């Protein structure tokens, strides 16, 4: 079923609804999930909000082309509407963003008009629980010009791992650390600043006190902020694939090392790797 929305959903009521429903969810990989595709036509970019996003994430401001990570921000309210609903089987509270893959087929003009769509593609077993895959698409003139696939993990007790679990769910093999490029000192307000421009005001990112309610001694950076910051430092061609996996939270304030070689990048703190990823030219 496709639902066309007249405007982007308001995030605070969705987050509140998701929080209230979370204790009643019983996640499992064979659960039913909403098959709805939400569509938002006629999307235009708020240039002031875009500039604020670029400053927070380290992108150059004033370019006509959108940062490759920015459409994720545009689609986030639609994703939250789906994942905060009664028919979504995973609890929104405690849901962990584990990976993202972005495919951009050409540069997206900041002054363009677009159609957004978001749907949940599947639920799959994970050795630590159940993972949901959320697909977002941006169309211009009826053509898909940008798409992403994000995975979100609900942790819960599972039985013994079976051979049917996909091989790609295994932990990646250890490899040599990438060469360090720069050390970044992260201020304690990075989560609040990114939350203001992205709309993602999850309490684990905002203040130490609210983060402690969910088991974190300090606030932690948004995963999508860490990816955007790395991509801004790395640079991307107009047609590109960006892949990233979130390995460990980035505490705020703190210092992390940005490392890169060729198309690969990572963010680490000491011996702990927080984010791994890659930037690959899209070959048509």
């Amino acid at each position: 079923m496709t639902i066309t929305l007249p405007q982007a959903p308001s995030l605070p009521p969705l987050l509140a609804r998701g929080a209230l429903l979370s204790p009643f969810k019983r996640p499992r990989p064979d659960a039913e999930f909403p098959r709805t595709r939400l569509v938002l036509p006629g999307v235009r970019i708020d240039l002031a909000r875009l500039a604020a996003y670029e400053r927070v994430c380290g992108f150059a401001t004033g370019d006509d082309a959108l940062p490759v990570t920015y459409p994720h921000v545009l689609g986030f309210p639609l994703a939250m509407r789906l994942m905060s609903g009664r028919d979504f089987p995973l609890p929104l509270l405690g849901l962990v963003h584990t990976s993202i893959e972005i495919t951009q087929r050409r540069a997206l003009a900041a002054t363009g008009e677009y159609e957004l769509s978001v749907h949940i593609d599947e639920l799959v077993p994970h050795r630590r629980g159940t993972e949901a895959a959320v697909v977002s698409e941006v169309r211009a003139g009826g053509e898909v010009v940008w798409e992403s696939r994000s995975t979100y993990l609900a942790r819960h007790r599972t039985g013994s791992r079976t051979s049917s679990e996909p091989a790609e769910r295994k932990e990646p093999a250890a490899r040599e650390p990438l060469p360090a490029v720069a050390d970044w000192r992260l201020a304690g307000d990075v989560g609040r600043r990114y939350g203001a421009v992205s709309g993602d005001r999850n309490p684990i990112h905002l203040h130490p006190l609210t983060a402690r309610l969910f088991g974190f001694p300090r606030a932690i950076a948004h995963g999508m902020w860490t990816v955007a910051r790395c991509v801004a430092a790395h640079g991307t061609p107009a047609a590109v694939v960006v892949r990233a996996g979130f390995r460990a939270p980035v505490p705020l304030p703190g210092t992390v090392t940005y490392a890169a070689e060729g198309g690969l990048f990572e963010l680490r703190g000491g011996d702990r790797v927080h984010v791994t990823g890659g930037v690959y030219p899209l070959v048509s």
Side-chain angles (χ1 to χ4, degrees), residues 250-282:
V250 176
L252 300 171
T255 300
V256 292
T257 298
Y258 166 68
E261 185 173 51
L264 301 178
F265 63 80
E266 65 186 17
L267 204 62
R268 57 180 186 258
D271 294 330
R272 193 177 200 191
V273 178
H274 298 291
V275 180
T276 60
V279 175
Y280 311 95
L282 181 64

Side-chain angles (χ1 to χ4, degrees), residues 24 49 57 59 61 75 95 99 104 112 145 187 189 203:
F24 304 100
R49 183 184 179 195
C57 298
F59 291 100
T61 58
L95 205 61
S99 73
Q104 179 172 277
V145 292
D189 67 348

Side-chain angles (χ1 to χ4, degrees), residues 3 22 55 80 191 208 244:
I3 297 177
S22 287
R55 287 192 294 269
M80 285 301 99

Side-chain angles (χ1 to χ4, degrees), residues 82-196:
L82 291 174
M83 293 195 288
S84 66
R86 292 182 180 275
D87 53 353
F88 183 67
L90 308 186
L92 192 62
L93 285 182
L95 205 61
V96 179
H97 196 179
T98 51
S99 73
I100 187 167
E101 178 171 326
I102 296 170
T103 302
Q104 179 172 277
R105 292 179 170 80
R106 61 172 173 82
L108 277 62
T111 53
E113 182 174 311
Y114 303 102
E115 178 188 274
L116 289 174
S117 68
V118 176
H119 69 277
I120 297 165
D121 188 48
E122 63 177 350
L123 298 184
V124 295
H126 185 283
R127 63 189 180 84
R128 293 177 179 167
T130 299
E131 220 170 40
V134 179
V135 175
S136 303
E137 296 176 332
V138 176
R139 287 178 170 81
E143 174 193 3
V144 176
V145 292
W146 184 100
E147 60 188 310
S148 73
R149 182 183 181 88
S150 283
T151 56
Y152 296 89
L153 172 66
R155 290 175 173 158
H156 59 85
R157 191 171 296 177
T158 63
S160 58
R161 182 174 170 172
T162 66
S163 59
S164 63
E165 186 175 340
E168 62 267 27
R169 304 292 172 192
K170 298 178 182 178
E171 287 293 321
R175 56 169 172 75
E176 289 297 315
L178 298 175
V181 176
D183 290 333
W184 296 338
R185 296 182 63 182
L186 310 182
D189 67 348
V190 165
R192 295 189 292 276
R193 292 169 58 212
Y194 184 80

Side-chain angles (χ1 to χ4, degrees), residues 4 11 25 35 42 46 53 68 79-80 94 109 119 130 153 165 195-196 209 219 226 234 241-242 257 262:
T4 300
L11 277 170
K25 301 293 182 77
R35 311 288 174 155
D46 181 330
Y53 174 89
V68 67
M80 285 301 99
H119 69 277
T130 299
L153 172 66
E165 186 175 340
L209 288 177
T226 63
H234 188 285
V241 175
V242 175
T257 298

